């Protein structure tokens, strides 16, 4: 009797191992389908496994995550959020959750939806489970903050990243020095305000353009307004009051309000150009630091 | 004994775990398809159905169920060409065939395959049911209008009647739409140009653009006043008079030309609007009949 019970226990133990491994087998099958480029079949297999394991939320989530991988290979990134939204986040562990948030973040980052990307990255950082994931997401968070022109917070985020690394003091100090150099306050591009530029242009035509550095545009709006003023004066001095009033009514407001309204576009494009060229340099350095410190725990 | 029962249990688990999508039974396939469509994975669902139909183990009825289901779900998601490709494959042996045929015609009309839709409707034999044949005539008439076949429509118009109040209402709307299309086609570019020459902007009123008419009138009139004023005060040889005069004549003749051209543009706009109304109208009785 004892022999039989021990045998049964061993079998049970084997069965548990087998059950856990059987999903590994399923993942292997999907991988082999991907290898021979049968992406559609692999997607269906993922969906079917998620469907038949609906009670086991964690496995369903894993299969849906696998599906996003296939969607990326198929260049069907638009369908990724749809697949991820279906995962029931309430009953799964934090590691899996952070992977799901990471996939979400990558999708939103690539489709330039900055606010949603930031939301997901903050969720990963708050969970703080996988060291590798949280490291790369700290760097990504800095990139996002640079994009929002919030350089001071980005700098403190980078310093936090380096302080958490287990390095010897000299290299750490060297890295901190480079970050301080990169985020030098004097180097930040000077962002100009649209409101101020519009106000200046309203007070005197061309002044807002000069404030933004568009000297040619300033000269042009001044001459256009001056010429139409001269036309009105010429007509009035020759007693052609009707044509003076009508032409002045048509031309003067057109050029004056055009001069004010063009400021928003001019200031915004110039600000964007400045910030982008600064960020490009910054991001290159950030990625370089990440490449160097990637392997350190 | 226990050992054998355990072995049996073990093998049972093994057999269910190893199953792939192609080996499951039909009911579970339907469940899976419902799961996919409920979760909006329509491209996966379509791929699954296409692959399952190739499987020879299924009966014709089972295949028809799958085809009809995906055709309808694609139709609801407004992917009309895919919907049509599924619905045309449904065989004549099921009782769903008339529903499938009418929805296939609706999806062909929505993808502007009017010739095919007309052929499909003419091939459809529904003489046994007066309701279905009046529906068929209604659909044919609508598609004739969409295809600009006025003669065929007028031949069919006396046959358009129904005992059903909803279909009768839709037939009435179709006839009204046809009338307004004919009225719009009667307007001539020459008349619009002539009216614009007499009073600037009047041609635009004739074609139906009242907002544009006012702005055109103000522009031309202001330039006219400015030219006349400069001519009186500064003389004919003054450069300002010449510039204002040439601007005035350019706007005046441009307005005449614009009115004449806008007749065709307004016609096209109106036609698109009516075509849209007809397309929406074509689907309403189908939804109602096969509910």
């Amino acid at each position: 009797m004892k022999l039989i019970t021990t045998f049964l226990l061993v079998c049970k133990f084997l069965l548990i191992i087998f059950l856990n491994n059987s999903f590994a087998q399923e993942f292997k099958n999907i991988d082999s389908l991907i290898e021979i480029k049968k992406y559609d079949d692999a997607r269906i297999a993922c969906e079917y496994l998620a469907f038949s394991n609906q009670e086991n939320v964690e496995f369903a989530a894993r299969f849906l995550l696998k599906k996003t991988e296939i969607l990326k290979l198929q260049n069907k990134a638009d369908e990724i959020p749809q697949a991820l939204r279906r995962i029931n986040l309430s009953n799964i562990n934090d590691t899996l959750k952070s992977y799901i948030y990471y996939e979400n973040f990558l999708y939103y980052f690539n489709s330039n939806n900055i606010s949603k990307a930031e939301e997901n990255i903050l969720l990963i950082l708050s969970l703080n489970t996988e060291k590798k994931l949280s490291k790369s997401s700290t760097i990504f968070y800095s990139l996002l903050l640079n994009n929002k022109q919030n350089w001071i917070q980005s700098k403190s985020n980078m310093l936090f990243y380096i302080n958490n690394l287990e390095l010897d003091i000299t290299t750490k100090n060297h890295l901190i020095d480079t970050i301080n150099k990169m985020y030098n306050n004097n180097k930040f591009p000077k962002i100009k305000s649209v409101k101020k530029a519009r106000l200046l242009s309203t007070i005197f035509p061309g002044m807002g353009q000069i404030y933004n550095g568009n000297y040619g545009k300033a000269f042009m709006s001044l001459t256009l307004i001056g010429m139409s003023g001269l036309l009105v004066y010429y007509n009035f001095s020759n007693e052609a009051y009707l044509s003076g009033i009508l032409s002045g009514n048509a031309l003067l407001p057109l050029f004056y309000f055009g001069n004010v309204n063009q400021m928003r576009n001019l200031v915004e494009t110039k600000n964007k150009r400045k910030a982008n060229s600064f960020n490009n340099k910054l991001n290159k350095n950030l990625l370089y630091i990440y490449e160097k410190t990637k392997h350190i725990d | 004994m226990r050992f054998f029962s355990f072995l049996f249990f073990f093998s049972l688990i093994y057999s269910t775990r190893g199953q792939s999508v192609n080996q499951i039974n039909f009911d579970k396939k339907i469940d899976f398809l419902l799961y996919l469509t409920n979760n909006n994975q329509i491209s996966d669902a379509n791929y699954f159905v296409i692959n399952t139909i190739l499987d020879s183990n299924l009966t014709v009825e089972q295949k028809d169920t799958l085809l009809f289901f995906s055709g309808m779900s694609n139709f609801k998601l407004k992917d009309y060409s895919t919907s049509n490709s599924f619905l045309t494959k449904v065989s004549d042996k099921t009782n769903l065939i008339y529903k499938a045929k009418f929805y296939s015609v609706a999806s062909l009309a929505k993808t502007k395959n009017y010739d095919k839709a007309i052929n499909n409707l003419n091939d459809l034999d529904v003489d046994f049911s007066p309701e279905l044949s009046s529906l068929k005539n209604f659909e044919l008439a609508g598609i004739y209008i969409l295809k600009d076949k006025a003669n065929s429509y007028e031949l069919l118009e006396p046959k358009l009647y129904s005992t059903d109040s909803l279909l009768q209402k839709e037939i009435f709307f179709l006839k009204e739409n046809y009338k307004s299309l004919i009225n719009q086609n009667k307007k001539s570019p020459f008349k619009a140009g002539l009216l614009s020459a007499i009073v600037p902007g009047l041609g635009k009123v004739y074609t139906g653009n009242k907002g544009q008419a006012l702005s055109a009138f103000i522009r031309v009139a202001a330039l006219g006043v400015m030219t006349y004023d400069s001519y009186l005060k500064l003389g004919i040889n003054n450069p300002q008079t010449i510039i204002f005069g040439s601007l005035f004549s350019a706007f005046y003749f441009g307005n005449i030309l614009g009115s004449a051209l806008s007749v065709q543009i307004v016609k096209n706009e109106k036609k698109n609007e009516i075509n849209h109304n007809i397309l929406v109208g074509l689907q309403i009785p189908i939804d109602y009949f096969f509910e």
Side-chain angles (χ1 to χ4, degrees):
Chain A
M1 198 61 206
K2 259 185 186 172
L3 213 137
I4 291 174
T5 44
T6 44
F7 178 73
L8 275 178
L9 275 173
V10 168
C11 274
K12 212 170 188 179
F13 181 67
L14 277 175
L15 178 70
I16 288 162
I17 292 172
F18 172 76
L19 279 181
N20 281 340
N21 281 342
S22 73
F23 280 112
Q25 183 58 40
E26 250 93 76
F27 276 114
K28 248 183 215 169
N29 286 343
I30 291 167
D31 281 334
S32 64
L33 280 174
I34 293 170
E35 244 171 54
I36 51 172
K37 297 202 171 173
K38 283 195 166 181
Y39 297 128
D40 289 324
D41 287 323
R43 244 169 49 200
I44 295 281
C46 284
E47 280 288 352
Y48 178 66
L49 287 164
F51 160 71
S52 49
N53 293 301
Q54 272 170 1
E55 315 84 52
N56 193 342
V57 185
E58 209 163 303
F59 279 117
R62 267 191 209 169
F63 288 121
L64 287 176
L65 259 183
K66 190 80 190 167
K67 196 191 168 191
T68 60
E69 229 175 81
I70 303 163
L71 286 172
K72 267 190 243 164
L73 287 172
Q74 276 190 310
N75 285 332
K76 285 184 179 172
D78 311 341
E79 293 177 27
I80 287 175
Q82 231 184 35
L84 293 173
R85 219 178 292 141
R86 285 159 51 204
I87 298 173
N88 185 2
L89 285 171
S90 55
N91 282 326
I92 57 178
N93 63 17
D94 285 355
T95 325
L96 201 55
K97 248 188 215 173
S98 56
Y99 273 106
I100 291 159
Y101 292 140
Y102 193 68
E103 287 294 330
N104 256 329
F105 157 74
L106 283 180
Y107 169 73
Y108 287 121
F109 189 70
N110 283 330
S111 54
N112 266 331
N113 192 342
I114 301 297
S115 60
K116 282 249 176 182
E118 197 185 349
E119 222 173 78
N120 282 300
I121 217 123
L122 287 173
L123 283 170
I124 300 170
L125 291 174
S126 69
L127 287 174
N128 194 22
T129 47
E130 279 275 299
K131 210 152 198 192
K132 220 175 179 183
L133 252 185
S134 60
K135 265 170 81 176
S136 63
S137 37
T138 316
I139 297 282
F140 271 127
Y141 187 43
S142 268
L143 292 185
L144 280 181
L145 287 171
N146 285 345
N147 205 326
K148 285 173 74 181
Q149 301 170 6
N150 193 348
W151 290 294
I152 293 161
Q153 204 180 335
S154 169
K155 181 185 173 183
S156 62
N157 185 45
M158 278 312 289
L159 289 175
F160 170 76
Y161 169 77
I162 284 166
N163 279 327
N164 276 3
L165 291 175
E166 282 174 18
L167 287 168
D168 54 303
I169 298 168
T170 48
T171 41
K172 213 175 213 178
N173 282 339
H174 172 68
L175 281 175
I176 288 172
D177 265 2
T178 47
I179 281 171
N180 278 331
K181 253 182 220 166
M182 272 156 51
Y183 287 99
N184 191 349
N185 273 352
N186 300 330
K187 277 189 198 167
F188 290 160
K190 289 187 179 66
I191 300 300
K192 278 174 179 157
S193 95
V194 178
K195 235 180 178 178
K196 201 171 168 187
R198 277 176 70 94
L199 188 70
L200 283 171
S201 268
T202 322
I203 294 165
F204 192 83
M207 218 145 86
Q209 282 89 335
I210 289 170
Y211 162 72
N212 197 38
N214 305 96
Y215 301 107
K217 290 248 159 66
F219 179 70
M220 183 118 135
S221 60
L222 258 182
T223 38
L224 280 174
I225 289 169
M227 293 272 275
S228 33
L230 275 179
L231 186 71
V232 175
Y233 174 74
Y234 171 71
N235 277 312
F236 271 70
S237 60
N238 285 311
E239 292 177 356
Y241 298 113
L242 261 178
S243 49
I245 289 167
L246 284 174
S247 62
N249 248 333
L251 294 177
L252 272 172
L254 182 76
F255 293 135
Y256 181 72
F257 289 111
N259 141 67
V260 177
N261 287 335
Q262 83 177 152
M263 283 327 296
R264 177 175 293 282
N265 197 1
L266 283 177
V267 173
E268 274 176 1
T269 46
K270 199 153 192 181
N271 281 345
K272 219 176 200 174
R273 213 194 308 141
K274 273 185 202 164
N276 276 351
S277 68
F278 181 72
N279 278 340
N280 277 341
K281 274 184 212 161
L282 215 58
N283 293 349
K284 255 182 207 167
N285 286 329
L286 287 187
L287 290 177
Y288 175 71
I289 290 174
Y290 176 61
E291 282 294 316
K292 268 191 136 183
T293 56
K294 202 162 65 173
H295 312 291
I296 305 161
D297 285 334
Chain B
M1 193 60 214
R2 232 185 236 175
F3 174 67
F4 281 112
S5 64
F6 182 75
L7 251 188
F8 176 71
F9 177 65
F10 191 84
S11 60
L12 200 77
I13 289 174
Y14 183 77
S15 61
T16 50
R17 290 237 168 247
Q19 261 182 355
S20 79
V21 196
N22 297 326
Q23 292 160 349
I24 53 177
N25 63 355
F26 184 70
D27 288 344
K28 199 137 192 215
K29 269 178 185 162
I30 291 281
D31 281 348
F32 181 44
L33 189 61
L34 275 172
Y35 165 82
L36 285 176
T37 37
N38 287 342
N39 283 314
N40 273 333
Q41 304 299 308
I42 201 71
S43 60
D44 283 347
N46 289 343
Y47 184 77
F48 174 68
V49 168
I50 290 166
N51 264 14
T52 333
I53 280 160
L54 295 176
D55 184 9
S56 54
N57 289 330
L58 293 180
T59 63
V60 180
E61 281 166 359
Q62 287 174 338
K63 279 181 190 176
D64 282 344
T65 316
L66 286 176
L67 282 169
F68 182 75
F69 180 79
S70 353
M72 291 307 292
S73 51
N74 275 300
F75 191 88
K76 268 173 200 154
L77 289 171
K78 298 186 178 176
D79 186 352
Y80 297 116
S81 57
T82 323
S83 159
N84 180 47
S85 71
F86 279 121
L87 287 174
T88 44
K89 280 180 198 154
V90 176
S91 69
D92 346 347
K93 282 167 192 166
T94 76
N95 46 0
L96 292 171
I97 181 67
Y98 293 110
K99 190 175 175 183
K101 289 255 169 171
F102 274 108
Y103 272 104
S104 146
V105 165
S107 55
L108 281 172
K110 298 223 173 188
T111 48
K112 298 193 175 175
N113 273 324
Y114 301 132
D115 287 329
K116 232 179 179 180
I118 290 169
N119 283 339
N120 281 2
L121 274 174
N122 281 329
D123 291 343
L124 196 61
D125 184 20
V126 283
D127 292 339
F128 62 89
S129 148
E131 279 185 344
L132 279 180
S133 50
S134 59
L135 179 63
K136 175 189 161 182
N137 284 337
F138 169 71
E139 298 290 318
L140 256 183
I143 294 168
Y144 280 145
I145 296 174
L146 293 175
K147 186 80 194 11
D148 286 333
K149 282 188 171 176
N151 291 336
S152 311
Y153 170 76
E154 271 155 20
L155 276 177
L156 197 65
E157 201 177 1
K159 283 190 199 169
L160 288 177
Y161 70 92
S162 172
T163 49
D164 186 80
S165 63
L166 185 126
L167 185 55
Q168 192 55 43
K169 210 165 124 195
E170 288 301 325
I171 288 171
F172 172 73
F173 284 141
L174 187 73
K175 284 178 180 169
E176 287 294 305
N177 275 327
Y178 182 69
K179 268 181 210 160
S180 60
L181 199 67
I182 295 287
N183 281 340
Q184 192 62 36
N185 283 344
K186 273 180 193 160
K187 286 185 178 170
S188 87
F190 177 73
K191 208 171 170 183
L194 193 71
L195 283 170
S196 266
I198 298 164
V199 180
L202 205 61
K204 295 255 164 66
V205 175
Y206 170 69
T207 56
N209 283 332
K210 273 164 197 163
Q212 276 185 24
L214 190 68
S215 74
F217 177 75
I218 288 173
R219 224 177 298 147
V220 176
L223 276 169
V225 169
M226 276 153 74
T227 314
Y228 183 66
D229 193 39
S230 314
Y231 167 66
L232 281 184
K233 306 277 164 57
L234 305 169
I236 190 122
N237 286 328
N238 188 286
Q240 187 183 307
T241 316
I242 294 167
I243 290 170
F244 283 173
S246 44
L247 270 176
F248 167 70
S249 44
F251 273 84
Y252 179 73
F253 289 110
N255 182 42
I256 293 172
L257 193 67
S259 293
L261 289 177
S262 78
V263 171
Q264 192 57 41
I265 294 167
V266 172
K267 250 185 212 174
N268 287 342
E269 274 173 7
K270 190 86 184 169
K271 200 184 162 191
N272 281 339
E273 192 191 317
I274 288 173
N275 278 1
H276 177 75
N277 288 344
I278 289 173
L279 263 179
V280 173
L282 283 182
Q283 205 196 317
I284 293 169
I286 298 181
D287 287 341
Y288 174 71
F289 262 83
F290 295 106
E291 191 70 305

